[in-house]
Structure formats: C-alpha cells, structure tokens
Amino acid sequence: MSASAVIGGDGEALAAAAELAAEFRKGAAERDAVRRLPYAELERLSASGLLAVTVPAEFGGADVRTETLAEMLRLLASADASLAQIPQSHFVYVGVLRRQGTQEQQEFFFGEVLRGKRFGNAQSEAGTKHVQDIRTRLARRPDGSYVLDGVKHYSTGALFADWIPVLARADDDTLHVAYVPSDAPGLTVVDDWDGMGQRTTASGTVRLESVPVPADRVVPHHLTFQGPQLHGAVAQLLHAAVDAGIAHGALAEAVDFVRTKSRPWFESVAEGHESATEDPLLIQRFGELAIRVRAADALLSTAARSLDAARADLTDDSAAAASIAVAAAKVTAAQAAVEVGSALFEVSGTRSALDSLGLHRHWRDARTHTLHDPARWKVQHIGRYVLNGTQPPRHGLL
C-alpha cells in the first residue's frame, strides 16, 4: 500500500476530509446495519494522504494545526462515527513517536505513515483493577530485544492496521509502547467486538503470545509524563471531535427527515401550520439542538487552539490550560452527541424509529463512544482548576 497523495497543508487536508466524508456518508447506514467492515474506505483514507498530516515537516509531512486535525475527524464522524474512530489511535501513536521516538525510529515510522501505512491500537485490558492497571509484559532478552505477552481488548483499528502499537510494562514496571507489525508471529487479532454502537470499528481482542520485538521498535512511553505534556489532551480532543461529529450527523439527519418526511401534528395544523417545519414547538427544539452543536464546535476549536499555543510554548501552566480546555470540549461534545442522537426521534416522529432507516446508529454510536472515559471526572478537574488553581494530573486521559 502506498499513499497516492501527499497533503501539502491545512486547507488541503480539510478539503480532502470533506470530500471523503461526503463519499463515506453514502454507505454509512448500510455498513452499520450489516456490520460490513470498512476495508475499502480505509484504503481510500490511506490513499488520500490524510493519515500523514501530523508527520513533522522535516520528515516530509504537512504538520497541520491541531485545530485542522480535530476538524478532519469531526467531518469524518459526521458521516460515519465508526470510520472516524479508527484513525484516532493512529494519530495518537504518531504523536508518541514525535515526543519519545529516536531520530532513527522517527525516520522509519514517519516514512511508513507517509506511504499510507496505518497504526492500530492495543492499549486497554479487561478484568484488571482499573484502566491503568496494565499487565501486558515486555520482557527483555539477553540480546537486547524483547518479547511481548498479554491480552488486549477494545483494540480499535488493530484489525485494519499495518503496525499495532502495544502498551506494555517492562521488567522495571515502566510503561513502553512496542510497535509490532500486524503479521508478527504470536500476534492474533480477533474480530469479536459486538458493541451496540460503533459496530464497524472492529474494536476486538489482540492476543500476544511470546511476540518477538526488536529493541528499535520500543519507545519509553513513561518518559512522556515526567514533564509537561499534551499526549492525553490530544487523544481526548480527537474523541471530542468524534462526539461533535456524531451530533452534527444526527442533527443533519433530523433536519432532512422533518423537511421531507414528517407530518405536522394535528394540533399544529389546527393553529394554521401546514407543515412540520412550521410547527413552533419543533422550531424551538431545533433551535435548542443547534445551540448544543454550535457550543460543542466552539469549545472544540478553542481547545485545539489552546493545544497549538501550548505546543509552541510548553510549560506546566500552558499544558494545564490546554488540558482543561480539552476537558470542557469533551464534556460538552459528549452531551451534545447523546442529546441530539436521542432528540432525532423526538422531533422526527414514529416513522424515524424504523430499523430499516438506520437513524438509531447516531444515538448508539454516541452512547457507545462517550463511554471511553467518565465525563464526571473531567468536570471535577475543571472545577478544581477554576476554584483552587489545581493543575490536572498527568495520567494521559485528560
């Protein structure tokens, strides 16, 4: 696989994302209904060059603004939230290489990304004490190489990946990321994801049984959190972008349905309103929903700009401010996605609940995606920061 395009800058990236979103929107409901995995669509995404837009300029990438990256995912998610979720981890683990990779690692892996190769994700584990209780082991061999053993769950993108970044603990219990080729001996990707939403992300299981890893494919991820960092904030911003996109997609479907299919309520007709679009109560509700979506968009853009500003002058204070801005965006976007995905049926009426229409995918995607991490803790950190000046923790999830 090779990328047929190299994105030259922010405007070009946004134009390509908008074009792909229009293309992906056409088959989104059908893919969700029959759980047809988006292999062809991901090939189009790779070929577009969009997966390489965060590669630094000195390595041949566009190095687009964070605001552009967030808008790319928002556009894609407005068309197909499952498809937009798949590259989220890809961009996160490109970022890990940017911060902790050696020159040689960066040259190799950024070259892979520029050729259209995809990173997956083998990060989360099930059945452990908490989400950061990582038990996958990266054991060092006498020759300096490593061997991986463990089981990962919710491995979005792994089934479609060329490289699978694996989060594991070394012999000294520090966190590392091992970049493992998808055809490595001992590595098995199981397509066993059966979530009610985001049905085509293939967020299944990755099994690692004595997987050999050369030393130059391992990055010391624990060092990321020893100083001011934006790793968690960027990852959360991209989640927020997916949520904002879901809200956009649901609102657009509701508008189209009411304009073309909904009948006016008889009491509205009795007051002289001949179409559903003239119903003052529906107009009021659409206004409320539009405000929710606009608020999510505004906070998403504000948070992205805060990240760009922090990257240009990274300190404890700038990193904290960016993290809090992202937390606000994530909470708001999650609320908007769930509310608008549900309100779609409220404003459209009984017919919109027909399974054959597939409109329920927006709410199912929103309800599933917003479970990634609890918004209540983000609200706590925002409150502590505003009231007491307490900087948020550096744990990679904020």
Side-chain angles (χ1 to χ4, degrees):
M1 175 188 3
S2 61
S4 60
V6 176
I7 299 295
D10 295 84
E12 193 175 331
L14 292 175
E19 182 179 345
L20 284 180
E23 179 181 324
F24 295 160
R25 184 173 290 109
K26 297 173 185 177
E30 184 267 341
R31 284 192 296 274
D32 173 82
V34 302
R35 196 177 176 270
R36 181 175 67 77
L37 299 181
Y39 286 101
E41 289 76 14
L42 287 169
E43 290 298 314
R44 287 279 294 116
L45 185 61
S46 288
S48 72
L50 284 176
L51 294 181
V53 296
T54 59
V55 171
E58 59 265 34
F59 292 94
D63 201 9
V64 300
R65 299 189 307 271
T66 308
E67 187 174 8
T68 297
L69 182 62
E71 178 63 6
M72 281 169 43
L73 261 68
R74 189 199 67 78
L75 286 167
L76 293 173
S78 71
D80 186 336
S82 289
L83 193 50
Q85 178 60 29
I86 293 168
Q88 189 266 351
S89 293
H90 169 91
F91 288 116
V92 167
Y93 284 103
V94 170
V96 169
L97 288 164
R98 287 186 62 146
R99 182 164 177 88
Q100 297 300 342
T102 65
Q103 178 77 16
E104 292 75 17
Q105 287 173 326
Q106 291 174 343
E107 287 177 355
F108 174 77
F109 281 113
F110 292 157
E112 289 283 274
V113 173
L114 285 165
R115 286 187 288 274
K117 299 296 180 70
R118 295 188 291 270
F119 291 163
N121 155 40
Q123 179 170 297
S124 294
E125 299 179 12
T128 57
K129 186 174 182 179
H130 51 73
V131 71
Q132 291 200 321
D133 181 16
I134 302 298
R135 300 185 184 180
T136 297
R137 306 308 298 187
L138 184 69
R140 196 172 185 92
R141 289 172 163 173
D143 65 0
S145 67
Y146 296 87
V147 61
L148 268 172
D149 285 281
V151 180
K152 297 291 188 176
H153 297 268
Y154 313 120
S155 303
T156 302
L159 191 67
F160 314 108
D162 300 287
W163 291 90
I164 302 177
V166 180
L167 190 63
R169 292 197 180 276
D171 295 331
D172 62 359
D173 214 38
T174 55
L175 278 176
H176 289 66
V177 175
Y179 288 76
V180 181
S182 58
D183 60 355
L187 185 152
T188 306
V189 181
V190 184
D191 181 20
D192 58 357
W193 169 243
D194 66 347
M196 69 171 182
Q198 293 201 298
R199 296 173 64 181
T200 60
T201 58
S203 300
T205 302
V206 171
R207 301 187 185 280
L208 305 143
E209 300 175 284
S210 300
V211 177
V213 184
D216 62 356
R217 297 293 181 262
V218 175
V219 174
H221 192 38
H222 62 101
L223 298 179
T224 298
F225 307 103
Q226 292 185 2
Q229 52 81 36
L230 303 174
H231 170 78
V234 170
Q236 290 296 308
L237 182 81
L238 300 185
H239 282 309
V242 172
D243 290 338
I246 293 172
H248 266 272
L251 183 60
E253 294 256 33
V255 168
D256 180 69
F257 195 97
V258 171
R259 284 177 176 174
T260 61
K261 298 180 179 67
S262 291
R263 296 180 297 177
W265 183 241
F266 73 95
E267 290 176 287
S268 178
V269 173
E271 294 186 359
H273 308 298
E274 293 300 321
S275 70
T277 57
E278 296 175 2
D279 184 330
L281 299 181
L282 276 182
I283 290 171
Q284 176 72 19
R285 188 63 175 129
F286 270 100
E288 292 169 351
L289 296 175
I291 290 169
R292 299 285 190 277
V293 173
R294 284 173 177 255
D297 286 351
L299 288 176
L300 186 70
S301 294
T302 296
R305 290 193 295 271
S306 182
L307 280 167
D308 283 329
R311 181 172 286 115
D313 182 20
L314 188 59
T315 65
D316 284 334
D317 289 341
S318 66
S323 183
I324 292 299
V326 170
K330 180 66 169 63
V331 171
T332 303
Q335 292 171 342
V338 173
E339 180 180 356
V340 181
S342 176
L344 187 160
F345 304 100
E346 169 196 334
V347 297
S348 300
T350 306
R351 185 181 173 189
S352 63
L354 293 177
D355 188 60
S356 59
L357 295 178
L359 296 177
H360 45 64
R361 75 184 187 279
H362 298 291
W363 182 86
R364 287 187 289 102
D365 286 344
R367 188 63 282 174
T368 302
H369 182 256
T370 55
L371 298 176
H372 268 88
D373 46 89
R376 59 186 179 273
W377 273 98
K378 289 178 169 48
V379 175
Q380 273 286 308
H381 289 303
I382 293 169
R384 293 172 184 179
Y385 180 81
V386 170
L387 186 60
N388 299 317
T390 305
Q391 294 191 344
R394 298 172 181 164
H395 54 41
L397 293 171
L398 191 66

